[in-house]
Every structure is written in C-alpha cells, then in structure tokens.
Amino acid sequence: MNMTRRNFMGALGALFAVQRGAAAAGPPDPGKVEKLKLSDEEWKKRLAPEQYAVLRHESTERPGSSPLNGEHRKGTFACAGCDLALFTSEAKFESGTGWPSFFTFIPGHLETKTDYKLILPRVEYHCARCEGHQGHVFDDGPKPTGKRYCNNGVALKFTPA
C-alpha cells in the first residue's frame, strides 16, 4: 500500500476511534429514524444564522454562551434543526467546559464520524435525522458510561417535561 498522508491519517483516525469507544455507540438502526434532506436555502430559512453555522457547517459556539448550560428542569433536549429528541435531562451533567454535556444519548438518534480539524482525530456526532452537527464525544464523562457528549447549545432545543 502506498503510504500517503491521507492513508496515514485515515489509519490513525480509525485507531483512535476504536480506542475512544466510537464503535460502542455504533450506527443507528436505519429503520428507526427517517432522514430529513433540505437544500442549503431551505436550511438558511429554517435556522437562525448561529444555528446554521453550527448545524450545517460544523462551527462551534463560544463556551459559556448557551442558556442551556443552566437548564436543570426535567425534559428533553432535541435537535434545533429537526426536533429529533437526542438527550434526556437525566443524562445532563455539569462538565465545567462551558457547553451543555450529557453522559449518554437516546439510542439510534446520533451518528458519529472522525473529525481531523484540530490535527488529532476527535469523535464528532450529528443528529441521525438531519445530520446536523451537535458536538464531540470524549472519554472523560461520569459513570456509568464514562462519556461526555459536549454539545453546542445553539444546536439544541429544550422541552420541559
């Protein structure tokens, strides 16, 4: 095999993904969530500019800027792009990072991929319905999963129970 930079980075990303437990989340059951496909113009009409930047172009909001950091009521956190429920309030915890954080998600409602934007690979996750970027998952969360789903607050909507 010709070892190009792309091949090397791909192999390195696969290694880190397995080590980080990305495979544990696995792909969602394709029968559970129907995909929502909209044109770029439709997304621009549907979303506020900050939501569009995060959900459609994988931007990141400033830490500490989301009102959802202080949201402690019982309820559901859904994708701001398509309203698919992603997390329950029982899974939310204070991570001290400045972004809403969760230790688990609603099964089948997130998809992952490897992100190389900061050179070292990270596990990025998206809404399974609209493929909107939500955030990154790390292995420094609380029990029982040990995971921290670090989410952009602007990519979420909260609905109280």
Side-chain angles (χ1 to χ4, degrees), residues 4 11 34 70 75 87 91 112 133 135 157-158 160:
T4 64
E34 187 176 330
F87 304 99
T112 61
H133 171 72
K157 291 180 182 176
F158 178 73

Side-chain angles (χ1 to χ4, degrees), residues 36-99:
L36 173 65
K37 299 287 185 182
L38 299 176
S39 71
D40 196 51
E41 286 305 312
E42 289 172 308
W43 283 118
K44 284 180 181 178
K45 289 177 186 173
R46 184 179 189 131
L47 302 170
E50 304 84 26
Q51 292 174 314
Y52 176 79
V54 169
L55 289 164
R56 306 318 308 166
H57 292 286
E58 300 176 347
S59 185
T60 301
E61 69 186 1
R62 285 182 302 106
S65 64
S66 175
L68 293 180
N69 286 332
E71 183 57 70
H72 300 292
R73 295 175 291 172
K74 290 200 179 296
T76 304
F77 295 85
C79 175
C82 69
D83 296 322
L84 180 67
L86 303 177
F87 304 99
T88 65
S89 58
E90 289 79 18
K92 188 172 185 285
F93 72 99
E94 179 52 54
S95 66
T97 61
W99 289 282

Side-chain angles (χ1 to χ4, degrees), residues 107-129:
H109 289 200
L110 293 180
E111 296 176 339
T112 61
K113 72 175 190 176
T114 304
D115 166 12
Y116 295 100
K117 290 180 191 98
L118 295 181
I119 308 297
L120 292 176
R122 300 182 296 170
V123 177
E124 181 178 301
Y125 61 94
H126 294 253
C127 171
R129 179 184 289 153

Side-chain angles (χ1 to χ4, degrees), residues 17-18 20-29 32 103-113 123-126 137 139 145 147 149:
V18 169
R20 295 183 103 151
D29 178 354
K32 286 188 178 183
F103 62 81
T104 192
F105 62 95
I106 297 173
H109 289 200
L110 293 180
E111 296 176 339
T112 61
K113 72 175 190 176
V123 177
E124 181 178 301
Y125 61 94
H126 294 253
V137 62
D139 289 328
T145 65
K147 301 291 184 190
Y149 291 83

